[in-house]
Amino acid sequence: MIVSPLYALVAWIPISLLAFRRFPVRIAILVNFVGGWAVLPAANYTPSSAAFPYWIIGTTLESNYFLTKATVLGFTGILGVLLYDRASYKRFRLTVWDMAIGMWLIAPILSAIANPDNFQEGCKGEIYQLLAWGSPYLIGRLHFTDAQSLRLAAKAFVIGGLAYVPFCIFEIITGPRVYAWLYGYQPFQMNAAQRFIGYRPVVFLENGNQLGIWMATATLIAIWLWRRKTARSILGIPILLVAIGLFLVTLFCQSTGAIILLLALVPFVFVDPRHLSRTVSIVLVLGILAFAAFRLGNIFVWRNLVQQNAAAHALDTYLKSVGKDSLGWRLTQDERHIATALEEPILGYGQWDWWSGGIERPWSLWLLVFGMYGSVGLVSLEAVLLIPPLRAVWFPLTRSDIGYINMRHTLSAAVLISAIDSLLNSSMILPLLLVIGGMNSWSPSDTKIEVNLTQPKATAASLRLRGSLNPPKKLLR
């Protein structure tokens, strides 16, 4: 039975609002964003006979598909909080740490003003940006600002990974078929699906790369929950078994980049953050910025490097021999469009398909953003992704609050996984903006988190008495 993606996306609105009515507000928020990201179709894509419909860029950025799971989840999140926890909006106060997301959210309209021929599309892009990025960030700023609420969000990402385990095992054996069976057309279902062992799964995400990042993120957090003895079990399963199971399934998903990032960032969990996390975070952040800068300056050109450097040539030859030449392909795709992007370096072209007329399209999020919104958009996007990890390691709360510091460091590592992945891929797990927003306005005081799902949700006033809503305003100062 195939469910229309359009019907599924529209039906999610009352389903999510029912969750807000039935459950405590933070639980409902996580059901909406994490649960919705896990089960909803990406968009109501127009079927194409092309084996590789490269023009579809996914849900992270505005394109010719406005109604996507990113905009639907953003809309239902904002609406749910407005209907069932309206008072929380009154607690919002802008800080200097919100400047990055502010610039990122207005980048489409600034680009539209600079490109009046594309003004209508710029306005559409502005609305898309507010729903897809602004909504989860704002809700994170309001509801996930302390250790207990961030820990609850962390567990939600682990549960999201656990829910995918049986689907991943099935698709590793049979190939990525679940999405097509339920929702019909999936643009990148069979793209690089066949692997050394079986297939690379996709389930309900945009492609196998995003699935790998999803599982790696859940695995990293699960290892932290076990290592720091923060949780004994998840869904009744001992946390050690959860961590081991997620780790093994992530390996068998065979998404090479996600596995490398997971192994590189696991030290965030096992080493005292006072000895490692600051150095590692700074190195990674500088590496991300340097990569984009060198690429734009033609300092690092893969094709030239392969031709002129013996080590790079040997690596490229080896990767092709083992069927892992996607790294060189992605880098080459971007190189074909850098010159076009640099023709509008400040505010970009103001249109999502600025690369049309070239050879296929850029494959990395950073270059797509640079072409759409110029250096203003790219700098603000990188700041949104990189400021929380830097702030977590550079401005700790108190040295005695090691558990909370570790919580922020581990979530920072999860954010860095997506930030690094955006250098080569265009997809982004937008529910991570919940923790990005929360870490940009953390409170050292914990609030009691109501997670009793067996009792019906009462009025907002009674929930405040049970401590299920946010801390009072004084805790957010």
Side-chain angles (χ1 to χ4, degrees):
M1 175 183 177
I2 294 179
V3 178
S4 167
L6 178 61
Y7 292 163
L9 291 169
V10 173
W12 183 258
I13 298 175
I15 292 173
S16 179
L17 294 180
L18 181 62
F20 274 96
R21 178 178 177 83
R22 176 65 179 80
F23 302 139
V25 64
R26 287 187 178 91
I27 299 294
I29 290 169
L30 293 170
V31 168
N32 177 65
F33 284 101
V34 181
W37 197 266
V39 303
L40 286 178
N44 186 27
Y45 292 127
T46 301
S48 170
S49 59
F52 183 58
Y54 63 87
W55 55 88
I56 295 177
I57 67 172
T59 62
T60 302
L61 300 174
E62 176 263 338
S63 68
N64 57 335
Y65 295 99
F66 181 84
L67 188 66
T68 68
K69 66 179 174 184
T71 54
V72 168
L73 296 180
F75 174 76
T76 51
I78 286 290
L79 183 60
V81 174
L82 180 65
L83 292 176
Y84 296 100
D85 188 24
R86 188 176 307 171
S88 64
Y89 287 119
K90 299 178 181 179
R91 295 194 297 270
F92 179 74
R93 298 292 183 273
L94 281 173
T95 70
V96 66
W97 303 106
D98 298 315
M99 290 180 61
I101 191 69
M103 285 302 300
W104 172 238
L105 293 179
I106 66 172
I109 198 66
L110 293 178
S111 184
I113 294 172
N115 299 276
D117 292 342
N118 300 321
F119 188 79
Q120 183 176 358
E121 181 177 342
C123 293
K124 186 179 77 168
E126 178 66 27
I127 299 173
Y128 193 97
Q129 204 100 310
L130 289 171
L131 290 174
W133 291 77
S135 172
Y137 179 91
L138 173 62
I139 292 173
R141 280 275 274 104
L142 296 174
H143 291 274
F144 296 94
T145 59
D146 56 70
Q148 292 294 336
S149 57
L150 284 174
R151 187 176 296 118
L152 186 66
K155 290 180 178 179
F157 282 104
V158 175
I159 292 173
L162 273 178
Y164 263 41
V165 166
F167 296 102
C168 286
I169 294 174
F170 175 78
E171 290 197 341
I172 289 169
I173 299 172
T174 66
R177 305 178 185 278
V178 175
Y179 191 112
W181 284 348
L182 184 59
Y183 296 124
Y185 179 67
Q186 211 286 358
F188 303 108
Q189 179 174 301
M190 299 306 295
N191 179 38
Q194 194 160 4
R195 295 285 160 158
F196 291 121
I197 303 174
Y199 299 86
R200 183 175 66 174
V202 174
V203 193
F204 298 121
L205 299 184
E206 295 176 26
N207 50 56
N209 295 313
Q210 190 180 88
L211 185 281
I213 297 298
W214 176 270
M215 297 303 293
T217 300
T219 302
L220 181 68
I221 297 173
I223 293 173
W224 178 86
L225 293 174
W226 162 73
R227 179 69 176 84
R228 301 298 173 184
K229 298 180 173 59
T230 303
R232 294 183 178 180
S233 64
I234 299 289
L235 300 179
I237 306 172
I239 188 60
L240 177 58
L241 294 180
V242 170
I244 293 174
L246 286 174
F247 183 80
L248 292 175
V249 172
T250 301
L251 293 181
F252 279 105
C253 287
Q254 301 171 87
S255 182
T256 307
I259 294 171
I260 292 174
L261 290 173
L262 174 62
L263 296 177
L265 293 172
V266 162
F268 274 79
V269 176
F270 287 93
V271 180
D272 190 319
R274 292 170 294 183
H275 299 153
L276 177 70
S277 291
R278 178 177 293 184
T279 301
V280 172
S281 295
I282 293 172
V283 169
L284 290 175
V285 168
L286 291 177
I288 292 170
L289 298 176
F291 180 90
F294 288 168
R295 298 282 283 164
L296 287 176
N298 282 328
I299 298 174
F300 174 71
V301 180
W302 178 254
R303 288 174 294 178
N304 296 342
L305 196 63
V306 169
Q307 293 172 1
Q308 300 170 6
N309 185 280
H313 180 76
L315 175 62
D316 184 64
T317 302
Y318 171 74
L319 291 175
K320 288 180 179 178
S321 67
V322 297
K324 293 291 185 180
D325 57 338
S326 62
L327 172 62
W329 180 85
R330 294 163 200 270
L331 294 174
T332 301
Q333 285 299 109
D334 285 352
E335 289 165 4
R336 290 169 171 167
H337 299 280
I338 287 176
T340 303
L342 286 171
E343 292 178 6
E344 297 289 344
I346 306 301
L347 288 168
Y349 287 88
Q351 62 183 83
W352 71 272
D353 58 346
W354 58 268
W355 40 266
S356 60
I359 302 175
E360 296 185 347
R361 70 162 171 87
W363 211 249
S364 62
L365 178 61
W366 73 270
L367 186 54
L368 285 169
V369 168
F370 184 76
M372 291 174 72
Y373 307 131
S375 55
V376 171
L378 178 59
V379 170
S380 57
L381 170 64
E382 295 302 330
V384 168
L385 298 179
L386 300 180
I387 284 178
L390 283 179
R391 190 183 181 198
V393 299
W394 205 264
F395 300 101
L397 298 178
T398 61
R399 289 301 184 187
S400 61
D401 193 9
I402 298 299
Y404 185 46
I405 291 174
N406 285 336
M407 180 79 257
R408 292 185 289 115
H409 283 208
T410 301
L411 289 174
S412 295
V415 173
L416 284 173
I417 288 179
S418 287
I420 298 171
D421 181 67
S422 71
L423 299 176
L424 296 173
N425 296 298
S426 61
S427 60
M428 170 81 182
I429 299 174
L430 293 179
L432 282 172
L433 287 162
L434 292 172
V435 298
I436 289 176
M439 289 191 295
N440 269 349
S441 182
W442 66 69
S443 167
S445 301
D446 288 345
T447 54
K448 180 181 178 182
I449 304 297
E450 175 64 59
V451 294
N452 185 359
L453 306 183
T454 60
Q455 297 180 357
K457 180 176 178 179
T459 64
S462 65
L463 284 176
R464 281 193 198 92
L465 295 176
R466 297 207 308 268
S468 62
L469 297 180
N470 280 317
K473 186 187 298 183
K474 65 181 181 179
L475 295 180
L476 296 175
R477 291 177 181 170

